[in-house]
Amino acid sequence: MATPPPRPGPAAPLADRLESATFAPPPPPPPPPSPAAILSAWSRLRDPSSSSPAVALAALETLHLHRRALRLSSAHVALLLPLLPLHPRLVAPLLATSPHLLPASLPDSLPVSPRLLLLGARAFAKSAKDPPSGASLGSATAKNLGGGESASGHDDDDPVLAVGRMLEDVEQGGQSIDDLDHLALAGIGYALASADEVQFRRILVSLLRICGRIGNLAVGVRVLKLVEWLVMGFVESRKMRKVQVLFEMISPETCESEGYVLFPVVMAACGGLRALRVASARYRLDFDPRLKEAPERTIRFAAERVVLEGRPADDQRILVQCVTLGLTQCGRVMFHEPVLQCICMGLLKELLPLPGMLRMSVESVEGNAAEVVKAKVNQHLDSVLFKEAGPVTGVLCNHYSYAGNMAKEFVETCVWEYAQEIYCHLRAAVLLHRGKQDDLITAIDKIAEASFLMVVVFAAEVTKHRLIAKSLEGFQPEVAAKILVAFSCVEHLRRLRLPEYTEAVRRAVLANQENAAAVTLFIESMPSYAELTSQPDFPSLAGTRYIWHKDEVQTSRILFYLRVVPTCVGLIPAHMIRDKVASIMFLYLQHSNEKVTSASHSVMVSFLSSGNDADQDDRTVLKEQLIFYYIKRSLEAYPGVTPFDGLASGVAAIVRHIPAGSPAILFCIHSLVVKAKDLCDTAKVQDKSLWRSWEESTEPCKKTLDLLLRLIFLVDIQSFPYLLKELAEFVTLLPKEGQDALLDDMHAHVAESDDVTRKPVLVSWLQSLSYISSQSSRSESHSKATNASSVASDELTLNRTMARL
């Protein structure tokens, strides 16, 4: 074994390590104080008559803050001792830095925590100076413990024995204690580090029983860090027997025989495992596998107890929390199914209890209930539970990767149901509180973001095992649909495009594209039209007006579906397109969110361009049926809601993929011409110079006419004459300026074309249309100067030309 490093200072390192009830490392010491500041503080303490209590307190706080940098003398200790009963929590840590200077006895009025700290510090300093001699000290201690000696003077002579007696007194109710803070646990830790085996067992038993009675998660976290410190010290000082004794004292057999409350035992086991892992890496040690197996058995025993009792009661929740948190610290342990289930339960119910908080915010709407919920949310955000959600997600994924098929299915089901619960309650909460309790929504969003990340990271892990053909479980495409459904439920919470999210979606979409059953499962999960247009069924929302397109959470979910559907539309049966996809697509075609309307157009385009050998005839008929409603809905909302690019792509898909000469194509052409006429009429009223600036115009009427001109070279040959007829009629109805502008556009389009089939026809058609336009203008300008017969002759010529067109 490598030579161990020097022992740390007696009290400050451990007390500082245990001060925070989180797993974050202790904060660095403050910048070194100036000598003047320290001298001034000591000066104020030397002359209390010239200083007010507040000044003396400020001096103590200064010394306490910089205690790591101080070296106390006997004179300093003499100044501090009278202040110990008045300010025990400030003075005791200062005195603990120099325990060899402490008096033989401590004031009787000293509270439990500072007393334990000072006794432990004395014990630790004494053991470092005069190590116990083994059997003789052990027998003497056993004699003292068995003889019933309790005089305080004798206890102070043996600080380890004094600590043991104090803990037994607390355990048996002789002294009351509501909590074991970092000072008390630091003192107990030093006493355990200094005790012989008999004392060690007695103190450890009392400690575990007292912690179990307190039932505080902060105590559990500190126990883990305390045991880690102990085991590291035992390893470094080659006291492996104490490590074995510790693990024996927290074994499942001992837990049952002693009747321990399990949460401090689990944290002790995790702390011991963490110390072995760190020591193994730091000193390149190979421990006996049986040594590591002992605390792992304790963890498995506690997890089995949790799973056996099902949904934990209030007194068992802390055990779930401790198993879950402890596993983030101890490194990888052997897979055990109840452990995986316990981690899953802890993560979803205790660390990220988002559905429960959302439900509480919706159900409690009377009086100051929102403030109560907000306080609970903020309290959770500051807790160690929330801060460890990320590491626990990693632990869950690690254990999941070693699980069998049934265990994997259990965890997957829990997470997918968790995502659906989030959607249900988040939708109601946003509808209820948006604009009224925005600060509550903001607070909840922080937990919601962590929940989203957890779902994404877990789903990415699932894809590695379920959606890869080479995996042990084999390719399971139905899982792809479940992943996509879960992502749709939490889509509203997505703030960043994570690599894990992108990869999980990619793999799920690829799996969908290759499996019709998975696609059907995905489409069946889409909300129905009735669900989309009805508000959530919560009593607190009764009587409120529901506006479906302002439902933010639902809109985000539907947007996710609309983005995924085009990737697999070819495998969706025609009846599901009609019953599910079309209803959502047409409802959202006129949504106020441009992303939603653009996605709806993309769905239509992908459907029109798709094929399916199984039901090709049904799909063709359905396509033609849907086009009529699609064009009607799109043009109703253009301009304004309907994006032009979406409309243009939809029209292009219609003329490219619908059978030639279809009535649906003719309806599309006619509807566009009518819309163009209406838009031009509106634009002429608003802008008198419309036709003079036509070439640079960005008006909707210009865009619509440009689309019609592009169709000249896209429509099938059977629909081609109908398009030319509609355009000719439209042009002849325009004023002279409008006719000239459109004819210039048409000439430019035809001139640029390399379509050798249509170009000759179009040249002739344009010549005729230009002639009609010129004749119509001349007829108008000379109508008063010509007689009736010449006018009739002109009109007859025009009619013949129109017929030829």
Side-chain angles (χ1 to χ4, degrees):
M1 182 180 292
T3 303
R7 289 166 68 98
L14 182 55
D16 290 347
R17 183 187 185 91
L18 301 180
E19 184 171 5
S20 170
T22 69
F23 296 117
S34 66
I38 298 300
L39 289 174
S40 175
W42 286 119
S43 172
R44 291 197 295 271
L45 293 181
R46 284 192 186 94
D47 190 9
S49 60
S50 62
S51 302
S52 65
V55 172
L57 178 61
L60 278 177
E61 288 174 344
T62 298
L63 296 174
H64 180 272
L65 177 64
H66 299 290
R67 63 192 181 278
R68 296 192 210 178
L70 299 181
R71 294 295 180 266
L72 301 187
S73 66
S74 300
H76 294 140
V77 173
L79 281 175
L80 293 173
L81 281 173
L83 299 172
L84 180 59
L86 299 176
H87 305 288
R89 302 190 68 80
L90 290 176
V91 176
L94 280 167
L95 293 173
T97 61
S98 301
H100 58 286
L101 299 176
L102 289 174
S105 61
L106 298 173
D108 293 337
S109 61
L110 193 62
V112 172
S113 292
R115 180 181 290 274
L116 285 172
L117 174 63
L118 294 177
L119 289 172
R122 283 180 55 195
F124 197 73
K126 184 177 179 181
S127 67
K129 180 180 179 182
D130 183 23
S133 58
S136 60
L137 181 55
S139 61
T141 303
K143 179 178 178 182
N144 288 333
L145 289 172
E149 295 287 345
S150 61
S152 60
H154 179 82
D155 285 356
D156 287 344
D157 290 340
D158 186 348
V160 174
L161 186 61
V163 170
R165 288 193 179 281
M166 280 189 67
L167 293 179
E168 287 183 351
D169 198 22
V170 171
E171 180 189 350
Q172 295 166 7
Q175 294 190 56
S176 62
I177 186 169
D178 297 326
D179 192 10
L180 282 178
D181 61 12
H182 63 290
L183 300 181
L185 286 171
I188 296 169
Y190 286 118
L192 286 168
S194 310
D196 63 15
E197 184 174 325
V198 175
Q199 294 170 326
F200 184 86
R201 290 177 181 270
R202 298 292 292 270
I203 293 175
L204 184 60
V205 168
S206 295
L207 172 64
L208 293 175
R209 285 179 174 162
I210 293 171
C211 291
R213 195 169 69 205
I214 292 173
N216 187 311
L217 178 61
V219 169
V221 172
R222 291 187 173 113
V223 166
L224 185 150
K225 296 197 286 188
L226 169 60
V227 173
E228 178 195 355
W229 181 86
L230 279 172
V231 173
M232 278 297 296
F234 294 154
V235 172
E236 289 169 352
S237 57
R238 300 182 178 89
K239 296 179 180 178
M240 296 307 295
R241 173 57 187 165
K242 274 196 170 181
V243 178
Q244 294 174 342
V245 171
L246 171 62
F247 289 165
E248 287 173 10
M249 296 298 294
I250 60 173
S251 67
E253 296 78 13
T254 306
C255 290
E256 290 190 316
S257 63
E258 295 288 342
Y260 291 148
V261 174
L262 289 181
F263 85 86
V265 178
V266 165
M267 293 305 246
C270 292
L273 283 173
R274 177 177 172 81
L276 294 181
R277 177 169 64 87
V278 172
S280 177
R282 182 179 298 173
Y283 303 121
R284 299 180 181 178
L285 302 175
D286 291 325
F287 294 108
D288 188 334
R290 291 173 296 180
L291 188 66
K292 186 172 180 287
E293 169 65 15
E296 287 194 18
R297 287 178 57 235
T298 302
I299 297 172
R300 294 198 295 267
F301 172 72
E304 289 169 359
R305 182 73 61 84
V306 169
V307 173
L308 182 64
E309 296 181 2
R311 186 179 180 85
D314 290 342
D315 59 344
Q316 283 289 84
R317 286 181 56 196
I318 189 172
L319 177 57
V320 176
Q321 295 169 0
C322 287
V323 171
T324 306
L325 294 181
L327 287 169
T328 65
Q329 303 300 307
C330 63
R332 192 172 73 83
V333 299
M334 185 178 297
F335 172 78
H336 191 57
E337 186 170 336
V339 173
L340 174 62
Q341 295 178 7
C342 191
I343 298 169
C344 181
M345 185 186 304
L347 181 59
L348 303 185
K349 301 295 183 184
E350 304 297 333
L351 277 69
L352 296 173
L354 180 60
M357 290 183 170
L358 291 170
R359 183 170 54 249
M360 189 189 311
S361 75
V362 173
E363 293 175 350
S364 306
V365 294
E366 301 296 332
N368 65 340
E371 293 299 321
V372 173
V373 175
K374 185 168 64 176
K376 290 185 177 180
V377 171
N378 289 328
Q379 181 182 9
H380 187 74
L381 288 172
D382 293 334
S383 70
V384 65
L385 291 171
F386 179 71
K387 293 173 182 176
E388 293 298 313
V392 170
T393 301
V395 172
L396 176 70
C397 293
N398 180 269
H399 279 256
Y400 170 89
S401 66
Y402 290 96
N405 189 56
M406 291 187 64
K408 280 187 169 71
E409 287 181 358
F410 170 83
V411 180
E412 290 166 13
T413 301
C414 290
V415 176
W416 309 151
E417 290 178 353
Y418 174 84
Q420 291 173 350
E421 280 189 78
I422 289 178
Y423 168 73
C424 176
H425 295 103
L426 181 63
R427 183 184 172 201
V430 172
L431 286 172
L432 183 64
H433 297 302
R434 180 71 77 200
K436 303 173 187 175
Q437 297 287 345
D438 286 341
D439 52 347
L440 174 60
I441 296 294
T442 301
I444 289 177
D445 267 351
K446 295 177 183 177
I447 302 178
E449 183 178 351
S451 299
F452 170 80
L453 294 174
M454 181 275 295
V455 172
V456 168
V457 171
F458 176 74
E461 182 68 25
V462 171
T463 62
K464 298 175 185 176
H465 298 271
R466 301 294 203 181
L467 302 183
I468 296 179
K470 296 180 181 179
S471 65
L472 296 176
E473 294 82 8
F475 186 64
Q476 300 184 24
E478 67 279 0
V479 174
K482 296 177 182 178
I483 290 174
L484 293 175
V485 172
F487 278 9
S488 76
C489 291
V490 297
E491 178 67 11
H492 183 71
L493 306 176
R494 184 165 64 90
R495 305 288 185 268
L496 302 171
R497 196 161 185 87
L498 303 170
E500 295 88 349
Y501 174 88
T502 304
E503 182 62 15
V505 170
R506 185 187 70 82
R507 287 183 174 177
V509 166
L510 288 175
N512 261 6
Q513 291 174 341
E514 300 170 359
N515 189 277
V519 171
T520 299
L521 185 64
F522 175 66
I523 298 301
E524 285 176 345
S525 72
M526 296 176 73
S528 66
Y529 183 87
E531 292 177 73
L532 292 174
T533 54
S534 303
Q535 72 178 11
D537 185 18
F538 282 90
S540 55
L541 293 172
T544 60
R545 182 167 176 256
Y546 179 69
I547 304 174
W548 64 268
H549 57 82
K550 292 187 177 180
D551 189 339
E552 302 173 31
V553 180
Q554 177 177 263
T555 297
S556 297
R557 186 182 187 195
I558 294 303
L559 180 58
F560 182 87
Y561 276 105
L562 293 174
R563 286 170 171 167
V564 173
V565 165
T567 66
C568 57
V569 70
L571 294 178
I572 305 175
H575 72 277
M576 297 193 78
I577 293 284
R578 181 184 63 247
D579 298 339
K580 280 280 191 178
V581 178
S583 61
I584 293 178
M585 175 180 64
F586 289 140
L587 178 68
Y588 281 83
L589 270 175
Q590 296 188 359
H591 199 280
S592 56
N593 186 326
E594 186 175 346
K595 292 181 180 179
V596 177
T597 53
S598 297
S600 299
H601 285 281
S602 297
V603 171
M604 186 65 181
V605 170
S606 63
F607 172 58
L608 292 173
S609 59
S610 69
N612 190 322
D613 294 339
D615 60 353
Q616 187 59 44
D617 293 340
D618 291 342
R619 294 175 80 86
T620 301
V621 172
L622 180 60
K623 288 177 184 179
E624 297 194 54
Q625 292 173 344
L626 295 183
I627 285 171
F628 290 90
Y629 195 53
Y630 167 73
I631 291 296
K632 178 176 178 295
R633 292 279 292 176
S634 298
L635 293 179
E636 280 176 353
Y638 179 76
V641 172
T642 299
F644 178 77
D645 290 342
L647 173 65
S649 62
V651 170
I654 290 171
V655 299
R656 282 181 176 136
H657 300 291
I658 298 303
S662 168
I665 296 179
L666 304 183
F667 175 79
C668 175
I669 293 171
H670 177 73
S671 299
L672 285 171
V673 171
V674 172
K675 187 67 178 182
K677 181 180 181 303
D678 291 342
L679 292 173
C680 286
D681 291 342
T682 302
K684 282 188 296 182
V685 173
Q686 297 174 349
D687 182 6
K688 302 300 182 183
S689 63
L690 173 68
W691 302 115
R692 290 192 295 274
S693 58
W694 181 253
E695 189 174 349
E696 297 82 19
S697 175
T698 57
E699 290 288 333
C701 58
K702 175 71 160 59
K703 292 182 178 180
T704 306
L705 285 168
D706 284 345
L707 176 59
L708 281 165
L709 295 183
R710 289 203 299 271
L711 291 182
I712 290 175
F713 300 101
L714 293 179
V715 296
D716 61 272
I717 202 65
Q718 294 185 38
S719 304
F720 181 60
Y722 181 79
L723 173 60
L724 297 184
K725 170 182 172 295
E726 288 282 314
L727 284 173
E729 290 181 353
F730 174 76
V731 171
T732 57
L733 293 176
L734 293 175
K736 182 66 170 69
E737 284 184 319
Q739 291 180 358
D740 292 345
L742 256 65
L743 286 170
D744 287 346
D745 266 1
M746 291 177 180
H747 279 100
H749 275 76
V750 173
E752 294 170 358
S753 172
D754 56 359
D755 188 331
V756 296
T757 302
R758 301 189 187 202
K759 191 167 185 175
V761 176
L762 288 171
V763 170
S764 175
W765 175 76
L766 272 177
Q767 290 174 344
S768 299
L769 185 57
S770 299
Y771 173 75
I772 293 173
S773 175
S774 63
Q775 290 299 312
S776 176
S777 300
R778 189 180 67 176
S779 175
E780 290 177 2
S781 61
H782 297 88
S783 59
K784 294 182 180 180
T786 56
N787 56 32
S789 61
S790 63
V791 171
S793 175
D794 286 343
E795 289 180 352
L796 180 60
T797 303
L798 287 173
N799 290 337
R800 287 174 179 170
T801 306
M802 285 290 292
R804 188 169 67 253
L805 287 172

